[in-house]
Amino acid sequence: VNFSPELTEIITETKYLEQLGFMVPELARNVALQEEKFSRYVDGLKRMLQRYYDALGLLNAAEMQLLDDHIKDLQRVLRAGYKRLNWNSLGIPDFIGRCSHAIGKFESLVNQIQKNADDINSRLSMIENADLFKTPPPLTGGLPRDAKDYFEYLDIHRQKTVETLSQKYRAIGPLLTKMEGLVVNTNTGKSTKLKSYYGYWEKRAFDALNKMVLSNLTNFNAQLQTRMLFSVDAQLSPPDIIVNPPYNELFKHLMQSVRGAIESTKSFTRWMSGTCLEVPPQGEREDDLVVFSFHSDIQNVTPISDMSLAVSQTITKTLAGLKNVLNKWKKYRPLWKLDKTIMMEKFAAKKPSCVSYDEKLQSYCALKEQVGNQPMVKEVDFIRLHLGPLAESVQENANAWVTSLGKLLNISARDNMESLKLNIETLENDLQRSPDTLEDLKFVLKTISNIQDITLDVETRARDIRERY
């Protein structure tokens, strides 16, 4: 407000000089008599201008450009204050009233514009802060779900989240059309006056989607290194030890989740140039329509590509760790890799003693106990590996060898017993021969001698048969 401080000094000096009885110029006396009026004018003008500056201070660069015509209209109302009016003008109160009224209308417009802008900002904030890799609630006891349940939950949650966000995004266009009505009194969604403002919000939408994807990939990569996400089972699938789901399936599903986060931006359609209207699907056939979305731009953002690669490397490292754990179980591979029939035939061909059988049986029983004492759960980064099914299969194979050895031992014992029985029966028949002649007597006596000679051997064979059984 151009009210010179010298005027205030003149008014003060005039009042004091008159009180002291001095003569003062008429002009100075007239100015002093209007002190209250001037003070009222100055205060009114300052308050009015402060409202003006406060209203402008609420606007960002995009809104300043959007409301450029309205600001110029307001400035035209204010122009009389620094071009036509002076402190002797009678229209100052009317001028203050007109300016205050114009500023009030402008404040109302700014308030409505910013209310809609806040609504748009809240929608973009929801997009930016969306969680596309929400971990499913754990099972009873805080245990993670199996891989199949985890991936199903992840896909369903992401689809629902993206559907909700895309609906929020589609409402931005109508909000901008509403703002168009406030600013230029049209509702087309393609006003040339708002071209740069449409572009401003489309860029904001791109930034929100970019942050959404990048932050989700970053958080997912952190989860892969710090949280237990799901469980898998180690299984025996002769001749290999595998995990269920297999390594390639785990890698594929995890990377599909990464691609799903990036491809979620396909649900956000771009606007036609200079408008806030979505680009209609392009194509001649309904089954071959192309939708112009943010996806083509988002997937080429370097930080997102780099983070996708980082996630891939983290997954590969963890799967290699799983393989290292299972490789330690390959020492039991002979249990299922060797042909039992051939190995049993070779073993039987050596006519092993009972001690040899016992050593073999004891080795397989010790192996079963060793497997049973192994930890049945192993945590490798974000995967909980259940080794129970594998251990059970290994023990079953050990049992199969024990059974095969038992059958072989039973056969050998039975054959030895049959052979011994036949020898004893033969000797018994020879003893039944009547010694009627000298030759017969000699035969019987020789049989008795033979029995005496083989007694120790027979007892040994009988003891061996007993031990085998």
Side-chain angles (χ1 to χ4, degrees):
V1 176
N2 184 20
F3 188 80
S4 177
E6 286 80 359
L7 289 175
T8 304
E9 291 180 9
I10 290 173
I11 292 172
T12 303
E13 290 174 354
T14 300
K15 289 167 60 178
Y16 288 141
L17 286 171
E18 284 190 330
Q19 289 176 5
L20 294 173
F22 290 101
M23 294 293 295
V24 295
E26 188 66 25
L27 181 59
R29 184 182 297 108
N30 289 336
V31 171
L33 292 173
Q34 299 181 72
E35 178 187 9
E36 184 180 347
K37 180 184 71 172
F38 288 146
S39 177
R40 188 170 61 253
Y41 287 170
V42 169
D43 288 343
L45 289 169
K46 284 183 176 180
R47 285 196 299 270
M48 179 267 293
L49 287 175
Q50 189 59 50
R51 285 182 62 191
Y52 169 73
Y53 289 124
D54 288 344
L56 292 182
L58 296 173
L59 305 177
N60 57 35
E63 290 167 342
M64 288 287 286
Q65 190 173 7
L66 171 68
L67 299 175
D68 180 58
D69 288 345
H70 291 271
I71 294 173
K72 288 178 180 178
D73 290 341
L74 182 57
Q75 289 175 343
R76 275 193 290 270
V77 177
L78 295 173
R79 188 175 301 157
Y82 58 85
K83 281 205 172 186
R84 182 167 51 84
L85 296 177
N86 57 47
W87 292 110
N88 292 320
S89 300
L90 299 177
I92 293 178
D94 291 339
F95 169 73
I96 295 174
R98 288 196 307 274
C99 290
S100 297
H101 178 70
I103 292 172
K105 288 178 61 178
F106 184 75
E107 287 174 334
S108 176
L109 176 61
V110 169
N111 181 58
Q112 294 180 72
I113 292 295
Q114 295 193 330
K115 183 178 179 181
N116 285 284
D118 288 343
D119 193 352
I120 296 174
N121 273 320
S122 68
R123 294 171 186 274
L124 294 180
S125 180
M126 287 183 63
I127 293 173
E128 185 176 324
N129 298 315
D131 185 0
L132 302 181
F133 292 96
K134 185 177 181 181
T135 304
L139 301 173
T140 304
L143 299 177
R145 298 172 179 267
D146 62 38
K148 181 181 178 182
D149 287 348
Y150 172 78
F151 291 125
E152 285 181 355
Y153 180 91
L154 215 59
D155 290 342
I156 292 173
H157 170 74
R158 183 173 60 252
Q159 290 171 7
K160 288 182 178 178
T161 301
V162 171
E163 183 179 351
T164 300
L165 295 178
S166 64
Q167 291 175 354
K168 297 288 184 182
Y169 168 76
R170 284 193 290 271
I172 294 177
L175 285 172
L176 290 174
T177 302
K178 182 179 178 182
M179 295 165 77
E180 176 191 335
L182 295 171
V183 176
V184 295
N185 297 317
T186 60
N187 295 286
T188 62
K190 51 185 178 180
S191 170
T192 55
K193 175 63 183 173
L194 274 72
K195 180 178 179 180
S196 61
Y197 197 61
Y198 298 144
Y200 165 78
W201 283 112
E202 189 170 25
K203 178 64 168 59
R204 288 287 308 279
F206 171 82
D207 290 341
L209 289 169
N210 184 34
K211 290 179 181 178
M212 176 191 76
V213 174
L214 183 58
S215 63
N216 272 278
L217 294 184
T218 302
N219 292 338
F220 185 52
N221 193 44
Q223 287 181 23
L224 294 176
Q225 300 176 66
T226 59
R227 297 181 65 177
M228 196 61 53
L229 299 182
F230 57 83
S231 63
V232 297
D233 293 335
Q235 296 178 346
L236 179 61
S237 179
D240 298 318
I241 297 174
I242 63 170
V243 293
N244 185 28
Y247 298 111
N248 61 330
E249 289 291 321
L250 289 173
F251 184 83
K252 183 181 75 173
H253 283 300
L254 287 166
M255 290 309 297
Q256 277 180 346
S257 297
V258 172
R259 285 191 293 273
I262 298 174
E263 291 178 355
S264 65
T265 55
K266 289 182 177 179
S267 298
F268 301 85
T269 308
R270 296 294 298 267
W271 296 338
M272 291 185 286
S273 179
T275 75
C276 61
L277 305 176
E278 292 186 358
V279 178
Q282 304 295 305
E284 296 179 356
R285 296 183 302 174
E286 289 189 6
D287 58 346
D288 193 28
L289 296 177
V290 176
V291 176
F292 288 95
S293 66
F294 287 94
H295 175 256
S296 57
D297 298 303
I298 293 293
Q299 69 176 350
N300 293 322
V301 174
T302 300
I304 290 177
S305 300
D306 292 343
M307 187 50 63
S308 298
L309 179 60
V311 172
S312 174
Q313 292 171 341
T314 301
I315 296 170
T316 301
K317 173 179 169 291
T318 298
L319 295 181
L322 278 184
K323 291 179 181 178
N324 289 336
V325 172
L326 296 185
N327 283 340
K328 296 178 181 178
W329 287 72
K330 288 184 177 180
K331 62 183 178 181
Y332 304 117
R333 184 179 288 178
L335 289 175
W336 60 84
K337 193 172 183 180
L338 297 177
D339 189 299
K340 292 184 183 64
T341 303
I342 295 175
M343 296 302 295
M344 289 297 103
E345 289 176 355
K346 288 183 178 180
F347 182 69
K350 297 177 182 179
K351 297 189 180 300
S353 65
C354 185
V355 174
S356 297
Y357 274 106
D358 185 62
E359 289 176 351
K360 282 278 188 183
L361 290 170
Q362 288 297 332
S363 68
Y364 287 120
C365 290
L367 188 147
K368 282 175 55 183
E369 184 177 355
Q370 182 187 55
V371 170
N373 291 333
Q374 296 276 1
M376 294 296 105
V377 173
K378 183 71 175 178
E379 295 183 350
V380 183
D381 295 333
F382 59 91
I383 297 178
R384 183 182 179 90
L385 178 62
H386 290 166
L387 295 165
L390 174 60
E392 186 177 341
S393 297
V394 173
Q395 289 178 323
E396 287 175 356
N397 276 273
N399 281 332
W401 282 93
V402 170
T403 301
S404 296
L405 279 171
K407 289 180 180 179
L408 192 62
L409 182 62
N410 180 57
I411 291 172
S412 66
R414 188 176 66 247
D415 291 345
N416 287 341
M417 185 177 65
E418 292 294 336
S419 174
L420 181 61
K421 179 182 177 183
L422 181 60
N423 289 341
I424 292 174
E425 288 176 349
T426 301
L427 292 171
E428 185 179 7
N429 289 334
D430 290 344
L431 286 175
Q432 298 300 324
R433 187 170 179 175
S434 178
D436 295 333
T437 64
L438 182 59
E439 292 297 325
D440 290 340
L441 180 60
K442 289 180 179 181
F443 179 80
V444 171
L445 291 175
K446 185 178 179 180
T447 300
I448 294 172
S449 177
N450 290 339
I451 291 173
Q452 291 175 341
D453 292 340
I454 66 172
T455 298
L456 183 60
D457 180 60
V458 169
E459 288 178 353
T460 301
R461 290 177 64 185
R463 190 180 302 111
D464 182 72
I465 292 170
R466 192 179 304 114
E467 288 178 355
R468 289 172 186 263
Y469 276 112

